[in-house]
Structure formats: structure tokens, C-alpha cells
Amino acid sequence: MVKVNKNYGNLKENYLFADIARKVSEYQAAHPEANIIRMGIGDVTLPLCEEVIKGLHSGVDDMAKAETFKGYGPEQGYGFLQEAVKGYYESYGVSLDKNEIFISDGAKSDVGNILDIFDKDNTVLVPDPVYPVYVDTNTMDGRNIIYIDANEDNGFLPLPDEEKKADIIYICSPNNPTGAAYNREQLKKWVDFANSNSSVILYDAAYEAFIVDEDVPRSIYEIEGAKTCAIEFCSLSKTAGFTGTRCGYTVVPNTLSFDGFSLNKLWLRRQTTKFNGTSYIVQKGAEQVFTEEGQKEIRANIDYYRENAKIIMSALDELGIKYTGGKNSPYIWLTCPNGMKSWDFFDLLLEKANIVGTPGAGFGENGEGHFRLTAFSNHEKTAEAMERLKGIF
Ligand code: PLP
């Protein structure tokens, strides 16, 4: 008889976004006149920029002619896009070999799939609260997961703890959901800790494009020693509005080896076996993100979201509500006023201000009493939402 992967039975049902959707639709049905402003889901709202659209069109045109038509491409991505990503890293001082860059259909798949190259017998360290994919993908494999607290005391940026050693360490900076971002000195501590314990860091840089602080690295490879302990995941989803278009990249340095194996070679083997590459057309669009004009255009979109973050932060400052994020991140993670619990605050905002956010409790135990707002709405709605918020406090 077929035996299934029983680890799936250990997954906690994640009702977070389903519960939010249900509550919102019930409220809307009971109050059809309510103009609900959604600041919960971490999805972009601005369309792809012009340069990217031009790139996508040129990809489509290539597919229409026998001379330029493309069939299966290289599993690890076309050289033109690897070169473009390499140049992007060089622009902030990180030098990579082309073969260290693997183009993918987004960070979520790579973050999950990378576990194929690691034994199930590794212990995993995950910060709490956290992007749920890290926990769920390891639970599916039956790995032992330990948690490190991210809380107000450490500014939601936990540092290595000798009592909590693990083989695989997840770091997401700038963080989803807290918006907090490690500076160089803090990240160096993690790199040193990983190197001295022969651990690997899985570094999620999906929000690097939002970084403004000079002291916050865009890539973990800006930190000395990272190339012997870290794999970096990045995505064009939030950088360039590719949530629906799908493209990301993962960096596996050639210098990364454990147990007598090169992780770069293992990942190449994994990808060439189980992945047939990202669509040529999408890669042609993605290439344009890294041109001078493309960078100008995507930066303008990010600045637009940043402006929303400023509107939110200034309202919270006025109300004396504590928060992290918003500066190097599209997320604002606030402490619910008056000691309220996350879901109570959710209900209050929905009922009294018709605003939807995300209760922090959905991201882990330490998320209780916190709430995530995103800067991905438009200016008008963001400003209106903040006026309503001021009206209830
Ligand atoms: N990593 C983090 C921390 C995210 O928040 C997200 C998406 O919300 C992803 C990865 C997934 O990105 P992608 O759209 O490239 O799969």
C-alpha cells in the first residue's frame, strides 16, 4: 500500500489569510456601504515598469521567429540574465562568478527546494516570528526545528546564542513580517557563528531593494566570511513587481562545501534534475530590471511604496504607537496599543476604521500583540486609512 509523507500531518493549518478573508467578507456583507482599505497582504499593486514590458515584448517577438525561437533553456538561467545579476551585485561591491547565480521562478520555490540538498537529520534554527515557508518546508521533511526569539527587547533582530546551535540557520533581512533589518556588525556575528559551528545560513534577501541605510547590507556577501557559510535567495517580486510574472535568483558560492560536497554542485545537480528553467520571455523581462533605465523605473516604484510607509510611520508616531520596519522595508510591524491582542486589534481596525491588516500572531508566538501593515497600497488609500486610524485613538 502507498505510504504518504506523514510529516504533512504535523503541519499546522495556516488559517491566517483564509481567516482574514472570511472575516473581511462577512463584515463587507453585513456593511455593504463600508469602504474597506486593505493593507494586509504583501502583494504589490503597481504594474510592471516600461523597460520590463519592452523586454517581455522582445522575448515574445523572439519566440515568433524561427531564427530566434527558444526551446528548453539552461536550467540555471540564460547567461544574459546571470550576467545582469552579476553586474547588479558588482554595483554594491560583491563579486560573484556567473555559475554561482541560479535563475529561478521566484524565491519561495528555491527556499523550499534547497532543502533537497540537505539531510533530514539536520537541526534548523528559525527566528520567531517568521515567514511561514521556512517552518512548513522543514516540517514536511521532518527536521527538528528550534526557535530563536525576535522581540521588542532585541529590536526583532535576534543575535546568535551559544545555547541554540543548529546546522541550518534562516535569516530574513529586511524581515517579513517585522521589517527589521540587520546592520553589518550584527550580520557579521551570524556569519562568524555559522562558520565556527559549520552551519549553513539560508539568507532571504527578498526585500533588499527597500534598503536605504548605509549600514544595512544588501547582500550577506558584503560580510567577510559569508561565502563559506551562506546561500542567498533573492526575488524580483517586490523589487520589480514580479509577483505574478515570477522570477528570482539564488546564489550558491563555489566556496561553500560541507561533508566533502560542494553545495554549488549539489544545487546544480538538483536543479538540472528537477527544474527546466524559468521561461525565456520572463528572463528577457527580468534582464531589463538591471539596465540603467530599468533601475531608474523600478526605484521610482519602490520610492512610491516608501512614501506610503512614511505616511504610515508618521501617523503611528503621532499616535505614539511603537513599531519597527517601514524604513528599509515595505512592512510596518506595530505593537498593538493598550496591550491588545493581535486579533482583537484586527477586529477593532476592521470594525471602527474599515482597515485590514495582518495579525502578528499568525507569524509565530512572538507575533502576538503585534500587527503588520504593508506599504503596497496607493497614496490616497494609505493616507485615508491613517486618518481613520487617528480617528479611533
Ligand atoms: N521570502 C520572503 C521573506 C517573502 O516575504 C516572500 C514573499 O512574500 C518570498 C520569499 C517569496 O518570493 P517570491 O514571490 O519570489 O516567491
Side-chain angles (χ1 to χ4, degrees), residues 114 118 123-125 127 160 166-173 182 186-205 220-221 223-233 250-253 256 258 263:
I114 198 78
F118 297 109
T123 295
V124 177
L125 181 67
D167 307 299
I168 299 173
I169 299 168
Y170 283 86
I171 299 178
C172 176
S173 179
Y182 283 106
Q186 293 165 326
L187 211 45
K188 175 81 172 119
K189 290 195 172 131
W190 277 112
V191 167
D192 290 346
F193 181 72
N195 277 322
S196 65
N197 294 304
S198 295
S199 310
V200 69
I201 295 176
L202 301 183
Y203 191 77
D204 189 336
I220 194 166
Y221 304 118
I223 307 297
E224 203 193 326
K227 283 190 177 172
T228 51
C229 67
I231 293 176
E232 178 160 295
F233 303 89
T250 291
V251 178
V252 189
L256 209 49
F258 293 93
L263 294 195

Side-chain angles (χ1 to χ4, degrees), residues 106-309:
K108 192 190 207 175
S109 352
D110 278 7
V111 164
N113 293 335
I114 198 78
L115 294 174
D116 273 9
I117 68 170
F118 297 109
D119 194 277
K120 309 241 186 309
D121 197 22
N122 286 299
T123 295
V124 177
L125 181 67
V126 175
D128 170 357
V130 76
Y131 176 55
V133 173
Y134 313 150
V135 173
D136 287 353
T137 50
N138 279 289
T139 303
M140 287 171 179
D141 283 354
R143 278 191 201 84
N144 176 33
I145 303 173
I146 56 175
Y147 293 89
I148 186 159
D149 290 330
N151 52 33
E152 273 179 43
D153 293 342
N154 56 30
F156 294 97
L157 293 169
L159 290 173
D161 177 347
E162 288 299 327
E163 309 279 291
K164 293 203 169 167
K165 289 189 179 156
D167 307 299
I168 299 173
I169 299 168
Y170 283 86
I171 299 178
C172 176
S173 179
N175 191 272
N176 178 13
T178 70
Y182 283 106
N183 66 27
R184 278 166 221 283
E185 194 191 333
Q186 293 165 326
L187 211 45
K188 175 81 172 119
K189 290 195 172 131
W190 277 112
V191 167
D192 290 346
F193 181 72
N195 277 322
S196 65
N197 294 304
S198 295
S199 310
V200 69
I201 295 176
L202 301 183
Y203 191 77
D204 189 336
Y207 298 94
E208 63 78 22
F210 285 82
I211 294 172
V212 284
D213 278 345
E214 285 284 313
D215 198 29
V216 172
R218 308 265 291 274
S219 160
I220 194 166
Y221 304 118
E222 291 181 53
I223 307 297
E224 203 193 326
K227 283 190 177 172
T228 51
C229 67
I231 293 176
E232 178 160 295
F233 303 89
C234 208
S235 165
L236 296 186
S237 284
K238 311 299 158 72
T239 301
F242 272 60
T243 51
T245 308
R246 311 302 307 143
C247 193
Y249 45 92
T250 291
V251 178
V252 189
N254 290 319
T255 39
L256 209 49
S257 68
F258 293 93
D259 236 357
F261 285 87
S262 149
L263 294 195
N264 180 286
K265 290 213 171 81
L266 291 187
W267 182 239
L268 179 65
R269 190 72 171 90
R270 190 271 170 210
Q271 289 298 78
T272 50
T273 303
K274 294 196 183 180
F275 183 56
N276 250 341
T278 305
S279 141
Y280 170 74
I281 298 168
V282 168
Q283 292 190 61
K284 287 295 281 180
E287 182 186 17
Q288 297 309 110
V289 169
F290 301 100
T291 61
E292 210 180 313
E293 186 53 32
Q295 282 292 303
K296 229 189 275 167
E297 291 179 4
I298 63 144
R299 294 280 152 205
N301 286 356
I302 289 171
D303 284 346
Y304 182 89
Y305 295 135
R306 227 193 284 288
E307 200 52 46
N308 289 339

